[in-house]
Amino acid sequence: MGLPTGVHHLALATRDMKAQLAFFTQVVGMELEALYWMHGVENTVHAFLRLGDTCSLSFVQAPDMATIEPVIGVSHPGFSAGSVAPGAMQHLALSVPTEAELLALRDRLRSHGYWVAGPVNHNMCKSMYVQAPEGLILEFATAEGAIDVEQWIDPAVVAFCGITPAELEGFVRPPPFTSQGGKVPQPAPTTRPNFVFTGEWAPRGAVFFQLTDEQIAAALDSPTPPVPRRPAP
């Protein structure tokens, strides 16, 4: 109960929404399904590209992103094995159903002038790599089934990471949890890593942490789409 079952959307920053949409629709072939002002954020655009009925790739474009320069080795890895700052995305891997479709996608990428590496056989998947606009390292991967845990958790790497046998057991089989139906009280905001409000948001941070669940919902709920549904003919 209460377990994540997939990715709803991955939100990536951009200073050029049009360029990202052009790449992912015209070059990759994905469909744009939403493009609107981000809820509660002034002059900020939010876009969603369809991966499935409940899964999307998303981009966010805010005014000040135009002045924030990416740095190779800090915000972007530069290539698929490059390093970045902790918490930054090293690369994005999107799933493709079959190897034949992977090769078809490679043809599509190369026909638009993009250099593509792969497919490379990783056993758990076959992958190919390309650099998307704004330094985004993009992987496309196909797999025939679930990962075999017994073959893919390396004892040497477990030891290198300082993970004990008991901890490993908990990672592979997390303990069950019984929901209280949303009744667990809010802990103090300083007990764990939390949001850091900067710029014009800084004065609102202390206030935000004092709000109840109901007050947060009342302030941030945006249940109405930006364009009214067309009446049935």
Side-chain angles (χ1 to χ4, degrees), residues 161-176:
C161 293
I163 299 170
T164 68
E167 289 169 332
L168 180 62
E169 175 65 20
F171 294 164
V172 175
R173 282 172 280 275

Side-chain angles (χ1 to χ4, degrees), residues 39-112:
H39 297 146
V41 187
E42 187 176 357
N43 297 322
T44 298
V45 177
H46 211 179
F48 285 73
L49 293 145
R50 176 182 171 82
L51 289 169
D53 287 347
T54 59
C55 183
S56 307
L57 176 62
S58 176
F59 284 92
V60 177
Q61 178 181 308
D64 59 350
M65 290 179 185
T67 63
I68 301 173
E69 291 298 326
V71 178
I72 299 296
V74 179
S75 61
H76 291 65
F79 68 111
S80 59
S83 297
V84 290
M89 186 178 68
Q90 202 272 348
H91 70 277
L92 170 64
L94 300 178
S95 181
V96 179
T98 67
E99 186 173 358
E101 291 179 79
L102 193 67
L103 293 174
L105 180 54
R106 187 178 70 178
D107 284 346
R108 182 168 187 151
L109 292 164
R110 287 178 172 174
S111 72
H112 283 84

Side-chain angles (χ1 to χ4, degrees), residues 200-222:
E200 63 182 40
W201 292 90
R204 311 182 201 180
V207 176
F208 183 81
F209 289 128
Q210 302 305 313
L211 298 179
T212 65
D213 294 329
E214 293 74 20
Q215 290 170 326
I216 291 174
L220 301 181
D221 277 2
S222 302

Side-chain angles (χ1 to χ4, degrees), residues 114-129:
Y114 284 85
W115 192 92
V116 182
V120 176
N121 188 353
H122 297 301
N123 185 275
M124 68 165 65
C125 65
K126 291 183 179 179
S127 301
M128 64 186 190
Y129 305 86

